[in-house]
Amino acid sequence: MQRRELLRLLAGAGATPWLASLLHAGEPTGWQADFEASDAPWKIGFDTPPADLPEAAATVRGRFPDAVAGTLYRVGPAGHDLGGQRYHHWFDGDGMVQRFAIEGTTVRHQGRYVQTAKRLAELRAGHRLTEAFGTVLPGVEPATSADAINVANTSVLPLAGELLALWEGGSATRVDARTLDTLGLKTWRPDLAGMPFSAHPKVDPDGTVWNFGVGARQGLLALYELAPEGALRRAAVLPVTDLPMVHDFAVTERHLVFLMPPLVYDDKGKPPGTSFLDAHAWKPELGMRALVVDKKDWNRRRMLTLPAGFLFHVGNAWEEPGPRGARIHVDYVRSDNADGVFTTNRELMRGRRVRSPGPHLTVAMLDLGTGRATQEVLPLDAEFPRIDPRRVGLRHRRVVHATQVTKERPGFAAVAYTNVETGRSQRFVYGAQAMVEEHLLVPDGRGPGWILGTVLDLVQRKTVLSCFAADRLAAGPVAQAVLPRALPLGLHGMFSPA
């Protein structure tokens, strides 16, 4: 009998507590054992680095343009297992910030875990202590606050000389932009301590930062307005009936726009030990509600309704005058339902591929004059939409996004640059053995700009950073940097020019 099975039997028979501690001492159990048994080559993107990744030079082919001289920051879940136990959802992993310093023919990389209070306490204990977004492991305690389970793993925001590592449900975490040292939680105002500051802030062309936070249990939506230098200008909390899981939003010149899928917090009748994710219910009868808030007066709000669907990400929004009121155009990535949140992003943690309804690039029009909302779903699978940052809230035409879902593995095989008005798209296909991450558009005052992003190359078992001319994406990269290692697959990033 294997040692792991023996320990399980003894623990089940009521053996002494030291046996339970042995179960946390590195012996893989349950999902961790499944993950280790998987022969899927793509599972390297969901491995747990045992420690920080020291600075290392990449091998560069070509030359990165002067416009992309600077730093690309990325973050994502990386700490998936501890003490032989593995999280049951990709989004639960402890965050690791990646820093790519780019200059011409040189790219240097380092990666560091965000040392949240949660991570430090669990490292000391040698096992998980609290429940997570999508996982409740045996013996863990309920969260005492949102920041007690804050993993700082979703996005980043360079602001006022620092880097903020962002998560859905709690405070932003301050990180040194050069060393990636963790500096502690960001508190915008004493009475806002611990309030959710979400992972997709929007930066207006004048530098104003807008953000939100969702208090699902309380049905409260927090709103934030920050000055370009990072000082808080305004914050307020608004009640919203049937407040759903909202990951992203959009801004226009005059409005904040929230597309709210019918995935609503509802823990009635749920057994003890239900995860926060599983306390949500899919209620398609609500439709996809669009909440539009006036930027100047947050008490002026409108609610419109689109057909039911699910989304994580919004590309951009802009508005134009209509006969009876403003008409807001917003592009987003739509799925028919939320199955992927509950299945696909869970089974990754076992090293299993489970397909869910593919997300498609979608363009909606919200007519504030008539109260009518319509949309067109483009025949183009997509995720991680990004635009020219100078066009946030303004009329835009093109969106950079991942595309080309594959049957063999999770994720996407190509990056695309799509005109959302005509539907015409150009793309570069990395190939069947690459897993495409988010790509950004970096402006260049002398031309159409550059597309910059990472992929996990499964043949080389290394992460590759590529740069393309935005108007010649299909021609392939003008420069690539091959790292000496494979990085955990991440979520979002920001570019900071030199």
Side-chain angles (χ1 to χ4, degrees):
M1 181 181 296
Q2 293 186 357
R3 176 174 179 266
R4 180 169 65 250
E5 294 305 315
L6 175 61
L7 290 171
R8 283 177 178 164
L9 289 172
L10 289 171
T16 54
W18 66 268
L19 284 172
S21 70
L22 288 178
L23 286 171
H24 291 302
E27 288 288 347
T29 62
W31 289 52
Q32 179 65 17
D34 290 344
F35 184 79
E36 292 181 4
S38 170
D39 60 359
W42 50 261
K43 77 175 190 179
I44 64 170
F46 304 97
D47 282 338
T48 294
D52 292 343
L53 304 175
E55 185 172 290
T59 301
V60 176
R61 298 192 293 264
R63 185 181 189 281
F64 286 84
D66 292 343
V68 298
T71 306
L72 172 66
Y73 296 101
R74 287 184 48 74
V75 71
H80 301 296
D81 56 79
L82 181 66
Q85 293 179 310
R86 188 168 180 82
Y87 276 137
H88 300 177
H89 201 288
W90 182 31
F91 297 168
D92 291 338
D94 295 323
M96 175 179 274
V97 176
Q98 314 289 345
R99 181 179 184 270
F100 300 81
I102 306 167
E103 186 178 1
T105 58
T106 301
V107 172
R108 300 192 66 82
H109 168 267
Q110 70 177 133
R112 296 191 66 180
Y113 280 105
V114 185
Q115 299 298 326
T116 62
K118 167 199 173 294
R119 176 169 173 80
L120 292 174
E122 291 181 337
L123 287 178
R124 286 192 296 267
H127 59 89
R128 299 300 181 192
L129 299 175
T130 60
E131 62 186 31
F133 165 77
T135 309
V136 181
L137 293 169
V140 300
E141 295 294 329
T144 56
S145 69
D147 281 335
I149 60 171
N150 190 336
V151 284
N153 70 2
T154 310
S155 192
V156 290
L157 175 67
L159 187 68
E162 291 182 341
L163 186 70
L164 299 182
L166 306 175
W167 181 60
E168 290 296 283
S171 304
T173 302
R174 299 166 50 238
V175 174
D176 186 288
R178 185 181 61 83
T179 66
L180 304 186
D181 288 340
T182 301
L183 304 176
L185 296 178
K186 177 69 176 180
T187 300
W188 303 102
R189 203 172 62 200
D191 62 309
L192 298 173
M195 285 289 292
F197 187 84
S198 199
H200 284 284
K202 304 300 178 187
V203 183
D204 275 344
D206 69 358
T208 299
V209 179
W210 302 89
N211 204 6
F212 72 100
V214 170
R217 288 185 174 96
Q218 301 81 17
L220 297 175
L221 179 69
L223 300 179
Y224 301 86
E225 180 187 357
L226 310 178
E229 69 276 10
L232 179 70
R233 284 178 177 162
R234 278 190 297 166
V237 176
L238 310 177
V240 178
T241 303
D242 290 323
L243 181 61
M245 187 180 293
V246 181
H247 177 75
D248 197 359
F249 78 127
V251 300
T252 70
E253 289 183 274
R254 296 190 299 155
H255 294 95
L256 312 176
V257 182
F258 299 88
L259 297 182
M260 304 196 304
L263 186 61
V264 178
Y265 186 83
D266 183 2
D267 63 352
K268 296 182 181 66
K270 298 292 175 71
T274 297
S275 72
F276 178 79
L277 170 61
D278 292 310
H280 284 75
W282 181 250
K283 298 184 177 182
E285 65 275 12
L286 295 175
M288 173 87 77
R289 291 169 296 154
L291 174 64
V292 181
V293 181
D294 188 290
K295 272 183 170 179
K296 293 184 177 179
D297 182 357
W298 292 346
N299 291 315
R300 296 182 61 186
R301 305 190 290 273
R302 293 287 307 277
M303 190 77 82
L304 297 84
T305 305
L306 289 160
F310 183 75
L311 80 152
F312 280 122
H313 299 119
V314 178
N316 190 42
W318 58 278
E319 62 185 80
E320 62 182 347
R324 297 164 59 184
R327 293 188 296 194
I328 295 175
H329 301 252
V330 55
D331 44 78
Y332 72 103
V333 175
R334 179 188 182 278
S335 298
D336 289 339
N337 56 50
D339 285 357
V341 187
F342 293 94
T343 57
T344 302
N345 289 318
R346 273 201 160 117
E347 291 301 313
L348 295 172
M349 294 292 94
R350 297 182 193 257
R352 298 175 182 173
R353 167 78 163 110
V354 175
R355 299 191 69 180
S356 52
H360 286 78
L361 195 59
T362 302
V363 181
M365 199 274 283
L366 312 176
D367 192 323
L368 301 187
T370 64
R372 185 166 179 258
T374 58
Q375 68 183 15
E376 178 186 4
V377 180
L378 303 181
L380 190 66
D381 54 345
E383 246 311 350
F384 301 127
R386 297 296 294 265
I387 67 159
D388 184 332
R390 298 170 298 183
R391 305 302 301 170
V392 170
L394 305 177
R395 183 168 185 172
H396 69 295
R397 290 181 173 82
R398 294 176 178 84
V399 175
V400 180
H401 59 91
T403 192
Q404 195 166 311
V405 173
T406 65
K407 295 180 180 179
E408 299 77 18
R409 52 182 170 68
F412 301 85
V415 59
Y417 197 31
T418 298
N419 187 315
V420 294
E421 294 186 353
T422 66
R424 289 196 295 269
S425 183
Q426 57 168 312
R427 69 175 59 188
F428 176 79
V429 180
Y430 280 97
Q433 297 303 312
M435 299 179 74
V436 175
E437 298 187 281
E438 180 186 70
H439 284 52
L440 315 178
L441 192 139
V442 178
D444 188 337
R446 298 174 296 178
W450 306 92
I451 293 173
L452 185 67
T454 50
V455 298
L456 176 58
D457 187 315
L458 298 179
V459 175
Q460 300 185 76
R461 296 178 66 86
K462 295 177 178 178
T463 294
V464 179
L465 173 68
S466 301
C467 181
F468 306 81
D471 59 344
R472 297 188 302 277
L473 175 62
V478 299
Q480 284 190 310
V482 181
L483 270 60
R485 52 204 174 202
L487 304 181
L489 288 167
L491 292 171
H492 302 292
M494 294 284 284
F495 176 78
S496 182

